[in-house]
Structure formats: structure tokens, C-alpha cells
Amino acid sequence: MLLDDDPAQSDRTRDALTASQLYYLQDLTMEAIAQELHTSRSSVSRLLSHARATGLVDIQIRSPLDAPSRLEQEIQARYGVTAHVVPVSDRANDVDRLERVALSVARILGQYFDSNMIMGIAWGSTMSAISRHITPKPTHNSQIVQLNGAGNMSTTGLGYASEILGRFGNAFGAHVQQFPVPAFFDDPLTRQALWRERSMARLIEMQGRMDVALFGLGSPFSEVPSHVYAGGYLDPDDFDALNRDGVVGDVATVFFRADGSTGGIPLNERGTGPDFAVLQRTPRRICVVSGNSKLPSLRGALCADLITDLFLDEGTARALVATP
Amino acid sequence: MLLDDDPAQSDRTRDALTASQLYYLQDLTMEAIAQELHTSRSSVSRLLSHARATGLVDIQIRSPLDAPSRLEQEIQARYGVTAHVVPVSDRANDVDRLERVALSVARILGQYFDSNMIMGIAWGSTMSAISRHITPKPTHNSQIVQLNGAGNMSTTGLGYASEILGRFGNAFGAHVQQFPVPAFFDDPLTRQALWRERSMARLIEMQGRMDVALFGLGSPFSEVPSHVYAGGYLDPDDFDALNRDGVVGDVATVFFRADGSTGGIPLNERGTGPDFAVLQRTPRRICVVSGNSKLPSLRGALCADLITDLFLDEGTARALVATP
DNA sequence: TCACTCCTTGCACGTATGTGCAATCCGACT
DNA sequence: AGTCGGATTGCACATACGTGCAAGGAGTGA
């Protein structure tokens, strides 16, 4: 839980609050604050870090009412999505890009999620990176729901995915709905059967009611394969099949082609991600992408109308608009 | 005007935006940002200052949903106003207190004012201090309206007060309505006559529609007399009269007694401030107080139900609740 | 074109801030 | 009571940051 029920923490929080007011609203130096609080300057430094990390201090950047960058305008015009281009040095490698885009998203995610909302989230390296940096924001009666199963041949998936889920839930004080199924069933019939279970039906119903969906993109045939493709969720036969079917990527382990279509891809019959129709009904659909290698996948996702808000690094944004 | 229409400024703003994202969202050092922006570290430092000063970067402090301090709760319970206690060292003098409370208010004022609103503001040392530090916030179609005249025997008041007004208007990109009359007429009839003028009527009508009122408190009989009492607006006879009438303070040059009453105070017939009934109809009435010497005045203003939101320094807050 | 002014830049310096480390405090369990 | 582990503190150092100053640049008017 996020709230400090611990009375010992309460003092710390109160001090952090005071320190923040003195530092950010009155421009005192940490030295001066230390005196007022009867502690050492370094403790004040730590208090302030704590205040920022817990979301007590909230730093927002507001583009002067409009003035989206040329790139953002261009993307808006061509694809009808609100783009947020994250400035990243051109010579940063893909890992850095991912990390920096994720960090930026983590810091402003609170602007999209509030009390009484349901947020669906996928899992994967992008989501993992985001989860590690979210600035907390207290909410009431809100829920985080997992979009797709995460088990594979070797584990039930309750480690990796639930760690991500947990961090989101924790940061927002939200209730977490896990999805304790494998990413792919061996037999489509198992899925059909399980989906009729009331516990599963309830969860899927909840996915249908979500207010925000947050996801990265998978891209099977790129140099940097995403988690799904490296984690033992698929075997070589599956891969070949995807290739034959013309798949360019996936969202929450639902595969799609360059034109955004998902029909006739057998693997989807065994997968556990939400039907794209469900996503399309979600009011806000936030996609986080970094690295040129995900471009084909991104194009497909845009065709499929999966995205309302797109976060991507500058290089990828440029590449996206560089084609006719 | 606040908006950068100047295309030269546009570059600077864009850079400031990028720098802010890199600094506040991605935790890069200024050194690193300097490299990405092909400039020097010190320029980045200046860019970031600029970004904060222009409200491009907005730092908010959110009390964890509730957890108002004991003092704030106590004041809320006893007087029914939302209190915001500004932490200030106990051994700060009155000037420092005023400055620090004003700074705090200036930084968060934007949370109370938005597009399409009308804000009425008084003038005086408190308002002046606030005006010098407001963090800008762009708004549309909003208005700042002066609550009371500011002329006196020696000047028309278009210097001091309009400077304050101007800074508010500038910070919010709001249209400014000045009130070009003296603080007090010599003859009540002059006021009556002038109030019938259409230009004045329009202004007074606008005061009646304001969404926010912002004011400090005057306290005639304290060690630190406020601007009204030191600036040559009143002569010794007036002072004696106020004393006899049991006046403890004023809001926008409208005087009141300890019980909040204003009736039967002759000077009010000649003054130009808004009738308290007008203030009481205003949805949000923000009062800024600092220094124990204003306590009697504050008590009166509370009795008069002039305040919905009260900002005051810690020491004054303690003194306020220290009485039965 | 030149001279003048105002604004911006980078440098250099001093101050302010972040953080590894050892000492200390605190609570818990034996 | 004793002792153990984890968290918190202050110190000291390294780094990051803000700012006066002089140099450079852009614009203006003669």
C-alpha cells in the first residue's frame, strides 16, 4: 500500500512535506532547511529525494498550451494519434532509448490515471522499465488489470508479470487483478473452457470496462526481440508460422499483420490477450515505443487503430514520418 | 503579454522545453543536456531557470490527499476556512515572514485561477510582494479587476497599484481592469456621482461577478502599519475616527470592527472598496496574512465571513488557535 | 560603414547538492 | 538483559549548479 499507515513514516512524510515547501516554494537552501528542521543538510537532501520519489512533489512540464513539436503535429495529422516525442540523443543505443522513454512515461503517467479508473496493462521489457520508475500518485477505488497471461513452459508467469503489476498497483494504491494463465495455451479448447469460468469471465469483463490501456509493442522479426520472443513462450514452429502469416508485431501477445489485421493467425486462437475490439473500445490507449526496429510493428498497430496516445523517442518519430 | 509571439523567443522556449524534459523527466545532468543541445552547461542552467520562471515547468506539492497539519485542521474546525500554513522559522522577523508567505502564495496561485475567470485583487504590501513572484500560467479570456482605488493626496495611484495589477495580468495573460479613483473621496457625494457613470458601473458590476478575490489585511493600530496607513491616504483626524469607531482592520480599504461589522464607520462612506456583501458572494476568497500584529484584524475578517482560503505563516497560525 | 547599445554566450569561481561510509540508534527476538 | 539486523544519521568528499564578468553578436541609427 502506498499510504503511510505506519505512524513512524508519518513524521518522515510530514518533514518531507515541510522541507518541500521550504525548498520548492520558498527557495531556501537545504542548509537553511536543515536548521529549521534541526537536522543535517544531508538528511534534508534525502528528505527531498524521498518527497520526489513518493510523488509528494510533483513536477509537471506543460507545453505552452499548444506548440507541439513539428514531429508531433505531423504524426497527429497523419495517424490521428496524440504523439509525445521524447527527446533522446540520436546516438543513444536502443537500450538507452527504451530506458529514457520509459522514464519519461513513468513520470507523467499519473496525468492519465485517477481514482475510480481501471487501467489495463501488458507486460514486456517496455512495461517493466516503466514500472520501475513510476512516480506514485494516490488514488481511490482504482484497479490495475493484467491484459494477457504470462505463464510459459517453465514458469507460471507469476514472477515477472506480477512484479510489474505489483509496482503499478503500489504506485497508484490500486487494486491489482492478475491474470494467472499462460501467455499461450497449448490447446485453444482449454482457453474456451477456462474463459467460461466465472473468475475468468469477471476479469475479462473488467478488461472490457477499462479506462486506460498501457502497452508496448512486440516485434518478432527485429534484431532486438521482445520478451515474448526470447522468453520461451514460443517454439520454433510457432515462429515459422508467424513468419508465414505475415505477422509484424503484437500487442499484449495478440499478433497482427502490417495492415493491422489479426484474423487467420492460428496462434491468436491460443493466446490470452484481449481482442483488438476490446482495446478499440477503451477510451485511452497509450502505446510506448522506442527504437527503429519496432517501426513495422508500430505501423501495423496504427493501422489497427489501437492507439490514442503514442510515446516514442525522437529518432523513431522521425523515421515514422520519413516515409510517404 | 505572456505568450511568445516573438519568433526569436520561440526557439528559446522550445529549447527550454526540451531541456526541461531531459532534466526533470529523464534526470540528465545539465552537462549532458548541454551536449545534446550543442551549448554550454551554463546556458542550460539559464534555460532551466527560464523554464521555471515562465511556468513552463510547474512544481506542485500535494499533501497526500489529506493530512492537513494539526493547525490547519484546527483552523478549519473553528473558523470554517481552508487554512494553508506556511512554514516559517519562528525567529524570522515580520518582513521575512511576509516575504516568504507571499512567495509561497505566488507559486501556487495558478491553482486557483484559470481561463474565463475574473480575479479581484486588492493592493498593499502583501499584494505587492505576491505580485513580484507569481509563477506565470497562460489563460484565455480571463480578467484581473482592481478592487479599490489607489489614489491619494499626492498621486493618482496609477503607479503603485497599477504596477501590481500589471504583474498579475502579465503572469496570467489576463486583461487588466484598473480602478482609476482615489482610495478615499473627500466627499461621499462624489463617489455616489461617479458610481453612476457607466464606466464605473461596468467595473463594479464586474467585481460582482468575480470568481476569486485575493487580498491581504490592513491593521491600523499595529506596530507595522500597512500601506494605507503610511502612504498618506488618511490624515490624523481619520485615524482618530477609526480608533473611536473600534476599527481593527480593513480589506481593500473597507474598515471593520472586531465583530466584522462595517456599519456606522463614516470613512467607509468615502472609500472605494467593495461592499462586504460583494465579497461574500465571491466563490473563492483568498486572504494572505503574515505576522502576529495582524491577528486582531484577521479575527475580524473571519467574523465577517470574508475568507474561504487563508494563507498564513506558522507563528500567526499558532497564535490564532492559541485563544479559547 | 561605423559606432553604439542591448542581449546572449562561455568561462571561472564559489556555493549547493548527492552519496559512500562508518557510527549510531532502534526494535525485535532469544 | 543481551545481541543482532536493518534503518537512519552526519561527515567528508566529489560532483553538479548558479552567477558575475568579459567577450562576442545582432540590431539600430547616424
Side-chain angles (χ1 to χ4, degrees), chain A residues 3-4 13-14 17-18 20-28 35-36 38 55-65 67-70 85-91 100-101 103-104 107-108 110 115 136-140, chain B residues 3-4 13-14 17-18 20-28 35-36 38 55-65 67-70 85-91 100-101 103-104 107-108 110 136-140 314:
Chain A
L3 290 317
D4 307 293
T13 301
R14 191 172 297 281
L17 191 68
T18 307
S20 301
Q21 293 180 230
L22 294 171
Y23 191 77
Y24 290 107
L25 298 182
Q26 298 185 28
D27 294 339
L28 298 208
Q35 288 188 285
E36 302 216 1
H38 306 293
L56 225 166
V57 168
D58 182 35
I59 303 185
Q60 298 194 348
I61 296 182
R62 42 170 128 189
S63 201
L65 252 83
S69 70
R70 196 181 320 289
V85 173
V86 176
V88 174
S89 165
D90 293 329
R91 55 190 187 293
R100 288 176 55 175
V101 172
L103 192 49
S104 297
R107 293 285 169 84
I108 55 185
S115 293
K137 165 175 174 171
T139 67
H140 300 303
Chain B
L3 288 320
D4 306 291
T13 301
R14 192 172 296 282
L17 191 68
T18 307
S20 300
Q21 293 180 231
L22 294 171
Y23 191 77
Y24 290 108
L25 261 23
Q26 297 185 28
D27 294 338
L28 297 207
Q35 287 187 283
E36 303 216 357
H38 307 292
L56 224 167
V57 168
D58 180 36
I59 301 185
Q60 297 194 346
I61 295 182
R62 46 170 124 187
S63 200
L65 250 82
S69 71
R70 197 180 319 289
V85 173
V86 176
V88 175
S89 165
D90 294 328
R91 55 190 187 294
R100 287 175 55 174
V101 173
L103 192 49
S104 298
R107 295 284 170 85
I108 56 186
K137 164 175 172 171
T139 66
H140 300 305
E314 200 174 336

Side-chain angles (χ1 to χ4, degrees), chain A residues 81-84 112 283-288 307-311:
Chain A
V81 305
T82 303
H84 303 262
Y112 294 88
R284 195 141 217 158
R285 319 190 281 278
I286 305 173
C287 177
V288 182
I307 304 173
T308 62
D309 291 80
L310 174 62
F311 288 81

Side-chain angles (χ1 to χ4, degrees), chain B residues 86 88 92-103 105 125-127 129-130 215-217 219 222 224 287-295 297-298 310-317:
Chain B
V86 176
V88 175
N93 59 41
D94 276 6
V95 178
D96 282 345
R97 288 191 189 192
L98 179 100
E99 198 62 29
R100 287 175 55 174
V101 173
L103 192 49
V105 171
S125 44
T126 304
M127 297 302 299
I130 295 173
F215 53 87
L217 291 179
S219 60
S222 77
V224 191
C287 177
V288 183
V289 190
S290 70
N292 291 14
S293 62
K294 295 205 168 162
L295 257 181
S297 185
L298 174 55
L310 174 62
F311 288 80
L312 73 179
D313 67 279
E314 200 174 336
T316 307

